[in-house]
Structures are given as structure tokens and as C-alpha cells.
């Protein structure tokens, strides 16, 4: 496993990439950033506010699987790079401002620079570690130790 400073560098690189493109968007509480099942296309750095990542649960409602806030990155990564179907809905839970980039533009940036592509891989590894930790926490809360 890579050292945590690789992840920190990847987060800083992607934050700076979003800020350099200077496309600030405003979201009201309840606005959708991405929709589950639709082509994912956005990625961004949250300047203010927060977002919930939601999935449909077995009862037909929605369950929050993650919350991100100011200082975090938001988007269905890496799905947004190729416009693949978003696995979650991302909704603003309060008024939010985000420096947004198109995932396709970020993918093109990766194609032009090996160093940038490496940062993208490091960010994906970071996200996978987060998801794994959340799954472990969920099962431990329920008293299940074998995942």
C-alpha cells in the first residue's frame, strides 16, 4: 500500500486542477450533482457546503453512503472520466459552491501527462481505501467480523 502522503499529493493536485479551471457553480439544498444510472460527467472541489452520496435501499428509499464537505472533492470518480453510469446520486444537503470540471476534460489531461495520470490513480486508490474502511466500519457496527 502506498504511503498516505501520495494520497495527500493526489488530493491537492486534483483540488488545484479544479481551481485552475475556475468554473464555480452554486447548488441549493436538494440540487443534484450526479444522478444514479445517468452518465457521470462532473468532478469538483467543494469550496463551501456539503453533499450526500445516496443509493437506493431495499425498501425503495435512499440511504446515505457518504458525505463530503468543504475542502473535499465531489463526483463519481472514476466513472466521470468516461461518462459511465453513476453508481450513486450526489445531492447537495445545504447551499454549496463547487469548482467544477468536466470528467472528459480531466481524462484528456491524464492522457497528456503521465504524472497527472499517476495522481489520478493515487486518488482512485485513496477512494478505494475510504470505501473499504466504511464497509469494515459498517460490518463491525453490526457485530459481523468476517467481510
Amino acid at each position: 500500500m502506498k504511503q498516505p502522503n501520495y494520497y495527500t499529493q493526489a488530493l491537492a493536485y486534483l483540488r488545484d486542477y479544479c481551481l485552475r479551471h475556475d468554473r464555480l457553480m452554486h447548488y441549493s439544498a436538494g440540487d443534484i450533482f450526479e444522478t444514479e444510472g445517468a452518465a457521470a460527467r462532473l468532478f469538483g472541489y467543494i469550496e463551501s457546503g456539503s453533499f450526500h452520496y445516496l443509493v437506493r435501499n431495499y425498501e425503495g428509499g435512499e440511504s446515505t453512503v457518504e458525505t463530503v464537505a468543504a475542502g473535499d472533492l465531489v463526483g463519481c470518480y472514476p466513472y466521470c472520466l468516461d461518462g459511465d453510469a453513476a453508481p450513486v446520486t450526489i445531492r447537495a444537503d445545504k447551499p454549496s459552491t463547487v469548482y467544477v470540471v468536466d470528467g472528459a476534460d480531466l481524462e484528456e489531461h491524464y492522457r497528456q501527462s503521465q504524472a497527472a495520470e499517476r495522481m489520478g490513480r493515487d486518488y482512485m486508490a485513496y477512494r478505494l481505501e475510504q470505501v473499504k474502511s466504511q464497509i469494515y466500519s459498517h460490518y463491525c457496527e453490526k457485530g459481523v467480523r468476517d467481510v
Side-chain angles (χ1 to χ4, degrees):
M1 181 167 77
K2 293 192 178 210
Q3 299 298 319
N5 66 336
Y6 284 96
Y7 302 140
T8 303
Q9 290 172 3
L11 292 169
Y13 182 86
L14 289 168
R15 178 200 64 222
D16 292 346
Y17 179 85
C18 293
L19 292 171
R20 278 194 314 272
H21 286 79
D22 200 26
R23 186 172 141 205
L24 189 63
M25 295 186 67
H26 302 277
Y27 294 85
S28 297
D31 284 353
I32 302 296
F33 187 83
E34 293 285 13
T35 301
E36 181 179 356
R41 56 185 187 79
L42 300 176
F43 185 75
Y45 171 72
I46 305 169
E47 180 181 64
S48 66
S50 60
F51 292 82
H52 290 298
Y53 286 62
L54 306 160
V55 294
R56 296 207 179 280
N57 60 35
Y58 65 92
E59 296 172 335
E62 294 178 324
S63 295
T64 299
V65 293
E66 183 177 9
T67 301
V68 291
D72 287 330
L73 297 168
V74 63
C76 292
Y77 192 91
Y79 303 93
C80 66
L81 300 176
D82 294 322
D84 293 336
V88 297
T89 293
I90 304 173
R91 181 181 302 138
D93 70 329
K94 62 175 82 168
S96 303
T97 54
V98 181
Y99 284 92
V100 176
V101 297
D102 291 319
D105 292 342
L106 182 56
E107 175 67 12
E108 182 59 29
H109 178 67
Y110 288 161
R111 287 185 183 142
Q112 294 175 8
S113 167
Q114 286 184 342
E117 194 269 339
R118 189 170 37 257
M119 290 294 179
R121 282 195 319 254
D122 286 348
Y123 179 68
M124 191 163 28
Y126 166 79
R127 295 292 293 148
L128 289 172
E129 285 294 321
Q130 285 184 316
V131 168
K132 187 168 62 171
S133 293
Q134 289 171 349
I135 290 170
Y136 289 162
S137 295
H138 174 75
Y139 279 97
C140 288
E141 286 173 7
K142 298 208 179 265
V144 177
R145 298 289 180 206
D146 296 323
V147 177

